[in-house]
Amino acid sequence: MAVKYNEYGELTMGGTSLKTLAQSFGTPAFVYDEDEIRNQMRRYHEAFRKSGLKYNISYASKAFTCLQMVKLVDEEDLQLDVVSEGELYTALAAGFDPSRIHFHGNNKTKREIQYALENHVGYIVIDALEEIDLINKYASEPVDVVVRLNPGVEAHTHEFIQTGQEDSKFGLSIKHGLAKEAIEAINDKEKLNLKGVHFHIGSQIEGTEAMIETAKLVLQWLKDNNIEVELLNLGGGFGIKYVDGDTSFPIEEGIAEITSAIKETAESLDYPVPEIGVEPGRSIVGEAGVTLYEVGTIKEIPGVNKYVSVDGGMSDHIRTALYDADYEALLVNREEEADETVTVAGKLCESGDIIVREAKLPSSVQRGDYLAILSTGAYHYSMASNYNQMQKPPVFFMKDGKAREVIKRQSLRQLIINDTK
Ligand code: LLP
């Protein structure tokens, strides 16, 4: 866990009191434990290194990106997965080596394809037949491409369904012949070099079964169709712990199981063991980040519920409203027994603006207290909006007892900067 209480009963991260941080910089604020982010990246590296196979780990920018995050990815020697002109722009602005960037997206615009090509990204992931002609047309020199397959497999948190995801805007269906057609078309194009195949079977996946079964299915398909590729990219989706009962993807054992299953399958098929790619986003940053809020209005409806409202909401925390996601809230400025179940609500003008539906908190919580919502490092800042003209919160990286501001709080002026007078 990224946070713990110190001897004075204050919640801390990386040796710093979060109460002091909240008092100095205001709330809402996103705070990350930098060592924890780095540690997750190192764990993936170490696990793959042990497998002895060729590998690449790409951080999925969409989980959380900014210049300093990209620099950290660079320092830890990961590659980068981007899905838009904006994510690519951010990576390039941070000085990231374009040859280590992969460009994804189910509807890349003409401009995005040109931008990716001009900057010589490592490879482009083909997600539709039309892209093959477009990339070939705009490329001035040979370009590596990877085909995103739709293997007809879906992984839910606990279950794994084959033929589950046929009806999807992502990827090229194996079963319906689109994947084969794409590969033949790529092989016909002079400027396109088929580097590999890719799949991504879902998010917040527990265990390794779904990924292993899909990898086996794909290897069998490659073998049956006489398609030889150097890269098999398994996508992202590795789960994290949001609340008690969730388990984080066990990186060491998980990667060991996946890599040995792929190696065995390839060898038994007499297929060259491919380089293995993964694209974790959530499991790199998710548990390393928390959101700090200040408590305002408390409303108790006798016999019904108690609402503890905070100074942010669905503009910086959309996942509860969007996915009915669960979170844990901790009182920041006092360590006390959590003896009450309350609803932590945001301040935006919607009943659905809830942060934690059933939060266990001390009954003493009052106006002016600070709360930390745990495991908000992934898909929070990146999914933040200006709904209700709320300002996006600042982001801090904590390390060695110091807070480093990596994104400033949006100013009121910035809210109207693009408005014409
Ligand atoms: N690679 C591809 C091709 C993806 O589509 C995604 C996520 C990832 C990698 C990274 O997946 P991760 O390891 O972070 O699970 N907004 C949702 C998550 C959407 C994920 C979309 N694709 C959420 O808040 O849960």
Side-chain angles (χ1 to χ4, degrees):
M1 182 149 65
V3 290
K4 61 171 189 247
Y5 285 102
N6 66 12
E7 73 241 60
Y8 311 109
E10 289 176 6
L11 200 65
T12 62
M13 181 191 274
T16 303
S17 155
L18 293 177
K19 175 184 157 192
T20 310
L21 188 86
Q23 285 173 337
S24 315
F25 297 98
T27 51
F30 288 102
V31 194
Y32 286 83
D33 182 336
E34 183 175 328
D35 286 338
E36 190 168 324
I37 301 178
R38 289 183 187 272
N39 192 43
Q40 289 299 90
M41 296 182 179
R42 289 174 194 180
R43 289 176 67 197
Y44 274 101
H45 261 309
E46 192 47 33
F48 271 108
R49 227 173 262 137
K50 278 203 174 136
S51 77
L53 300 186
K54 210 171 164 210
Y55 70 93
N56 77 71
I57 309 157
S58 252
Y59 170 67
S61 304
K62 74 199 84 174
F64 168 65
T65 192
C66 66
L67 297 179
Q68 292 300 325
M69 182 64 208
V70 173
K71 286 191 177 155
L72 212 145
V73 172
D74 194 16
E75 282 166 18
E76 295 300 329
D77 205 21
L78 265 68
Q79 306 201 0
L80 204 59
D81 151 7
V82 300
V83 297
S84 69
E85 190 177 1
E87 285 188 356
L88 179 54
Y89 174 79
T90 305
L92 296 174
F96 203 85
D97 171 7
S99 72
R100 290 165 49 222
I101 299 177
H102 318 142
F103 202 99
H104 268 283
N106 72 300
N107 178 24
K108 300 173 192 76
T109 64
K110 176 179 149 193
R111 167 76 206 132
E112 283 173 332
I113 291 173
Q114 286 171 330
Y115 189 42
L117 290 169
E118 276 160 22
N119 285 288
H120 309 283
V121 298
Y123 60 77
I124 300 180
V125 183
I126 305 260
D127 203 307
L129 293 171
E130 293 167 39
E131 281 177 7
I132 298 167
D133 278 336
L134 283 175
I135 297 171
N136 192 60
K137 181 168 148 201
Y138 298 129
S140 53
E141 53 192 77
V143 51
D144 281 347
V145 295
V146 165
V147 171
R148 178 167 177 169
L149 306 171
N150 177 344
V153 164
E154 196 172 355
H156 290 286
T157 307
H158 299 288
E159 43 190 335
F160 153 65
I161 307 170
Q162 213 166 318
T163 70
Q165 212 205 5
E166 271 175 33
D167 183 357
S168 168
K169 69 171 184 172
F170 293 113
L172 289 147
S173 164
I174 287 186
K175 191 173 158 200
H176 298 278
L178 299 177
K180 182 100 190 290
E181 201 179 329
I183 286 170
E184 283 163 4
I186 289 165
N187 288 337
D188 275 352
K189 301 284 184 240
E190 218 175 281
K191 284 182 251 157
L192 304 193
N193 169 45
L194 178 68
K195 183 180 169 68
V197 290
H198 171 283
F199 63 79
H200 171 82
I201 50 170
S203 284
Q204 187 62 4
I205 306 169
E206 269 183 23
T208 53
E209 188 204 350
M211 221 171 248
I212 290 176
E213 291 310 313
T214 312
K216 284 184 181 170
L217 183 152
V218 167
L219 284 168
Q220 183 72 56
W221 177 79
L222 290 168
K223 176 73 186 177
D224 291 347
N225 288 279
N226 226 351
I227 303 163
E228 214 165 273
V229 291
E230 65 188 76
L231 172 72
L232 174 62
N233 193 323
L234 316 176
F238 308 97
I240 66 163
K241 180 178 171 188
Y242 284 99
V243 292
D244 278 345
D246 295 344
T247 37
S248 328
F249 175 71
I251 299 175
E252 292 73 16
E253 305 86 67
I255 296 299
E257 282 173 26
I258 292 169
T259 47
S260 54
I262 290 177
K263 186 165 181 278
E264 272 168 36
T265 308
E267 284 170 354
S268 73
L269 289 170
D270 199 20
Y271 189 87
V273 180
E275 172 181 342
I276 300 177
V278 285
E279 299 170 333
R282 192 188 317 263
S283 88
I284 301 289
V285 287
E287 288 183 49
V290 307
T291 320
L292 298 181
Y293 294 110
E294 185 177 331
V295 173
T297 300
I298 298 180
K299 193 176 285 177
E300 187 152 12
I301 311 162
V304 178
N305 198 1
K306 180 167 161 183
Y307 284 90
V308 173
S309 293
V310 297
D311 54 353
M314 65 201 300
S315 48
D316 49 59
H317 184 114
I318 189 71
R319 295 189 75 263
T320 302
L322 199 55
Y323 311 120
D324 206 16
D326 281 338
Y327 289 88
E328 192 180 325
L330 290 178
L331 181 56
V332 167
N333 43 311
R334 280 194 304 289
E335 187 178 9
E336 250 176 53
E337 195 200 336
D339 55 351
E340 202 174 42
T341 301
V342 300
T343 294
V344 177
K347 69 188 295 298
L348 282 81
C349 290
E350 279 203 38
S351 304
D353 178 29
I354 299 298
I355 290 181
V356 189
R357 229 167 273 289
E358 291 189 348
K360 302 234 167 11
L361 282 170
S363 47
S364 66
V365 166
Q366 57 186 352
R367 178 179 284 274
D369 280 339
Y370 295 113
L371 297 185
I373 310 299
L374 307 187
S375 296
T376 61
Y379 304 107
H380 277 257
Y381 189 87
S382 61
M383 291 173 79
S385 76
N386 291 128
Y387 184 38
N388 282 194
Q389 291 290 68
M390 292 287 287
Q391 295 152 254
K392 287 191 193 171
V395 181
F396 297 91
F397 280 0
M398 312 296 283
K399 189 171 167 56
D400 303 329
K402 292 200 188 79
R404 185 156 69 98
E405 192 176 40
V406 297
I407 305 181
K408 292 182 180 164
R409 187 182 307 284
Q410 221 178 8
S411 66
L412 288 173
R413 171 86 188 123
Q414 283 172 328
L415 293 176
I416 55 163
I417 199 92
N418 293 327
D419 298 7
T420 56
K421 286 202 177 120

